[in-house]
Amino acid sequence: MENNLKYLVLGYRKYTGTRQRELAEELEVPIEIVTSLETGTYRHPTERLINKIKKLTAEFDQHDLIHIGRGYRIHDELGPDFKYFLRGLEKVRGINPNELKRLPTEECYRVIGSVNLDEFEVMKAGIQA
């Protein structure tokens, strides 16, 4: 789970509409730790913190939260090149970008995050399309 912790935390926060400060208060940690968790730079979370996160996310499908978080991260990482990623999804997986855009926001990011391919390779495919 530690490899996906950054996506789980970000996905939970985005799905629930929680702000980083609110999540920090719920987890009883400084806001900097939430930021570090979401970016993946918090390398050694305590067992206590991991248990709090598991408890907080237990009522949700954790795989969906991870996919949502990964989808948001892909969007942030690619920035203006995200449009090429969407084109690439159509080329490599047959996912229509127009249909994807019509989905509710979290569902859209869940689909994006569930694609088990390197986002930069998908983006390159979209550039070549």
Side-chain angles (χ1 to χ4, degrees), residues 20-83:
Q20 283 186 335
R21 183 165 309 286
E22 295 167 332
L23 183 55
E25 290 170 3
E26 285 185 69
L27 295 174
E28 300 173 325
V29 297
I31 191 171
E32 294 81 14
I33 290 180
V34 171
T35 302
S36 296
L37 283 167
E38 288 183 0
T39 60
T41 58
Y42 195 73
R43 298 285 181 215
H44 304 289
T46 64
E47 194 64 36
R48 182 173 179 244
L49 179 56
I50 290 173
N51 288 334
K52 284 183 180 183
I53 293 168
K54 284 181 183 178
K55 183 178 179 183
L56 192 63
T57 60
E59 67 183 83
F60 303 96
D61 182 320
Q62 291 189 345
H63 293 289
D64 282 349
L65 293 179
I66 289 168
H67 292 308
I68 290 168
R70 184 169 183 267
Y72 272 98
R73 180 68 55 224
I74 289 170
H75 188 212
D76 287 346
E77 285 177 354
L78 296 180
D81 291 333
F82 184 69
K83 63 184 174 229

Side-chain angles (χ1 to χ4, degrees), residues 9-24:
V9 172
L10 179 60
Y12 169 80
R13 193 171 65 73
K14 293 293 189 174
Y15 185 77
T16 60
T18 305
R19 295 176 183 209
Q20 283 186 335
R21 183 165 309 286
E22 295 167 332
L23 183 55

Side-chain angles (χ1 to χ4, degrees), residues 84-102:
Y84 299 116
F85 177 84
L86 293 176
R87 275 194 228 156
L89 281 180
E90 185 169 36
K91 185 174 182 181
V92 299
R93 286 291 165 99
I95 298 172
N96 184 318
N98 293 322
E99 289 179 24
L100 196 58
K101 290 176 186 176
R102 284 192 285 264

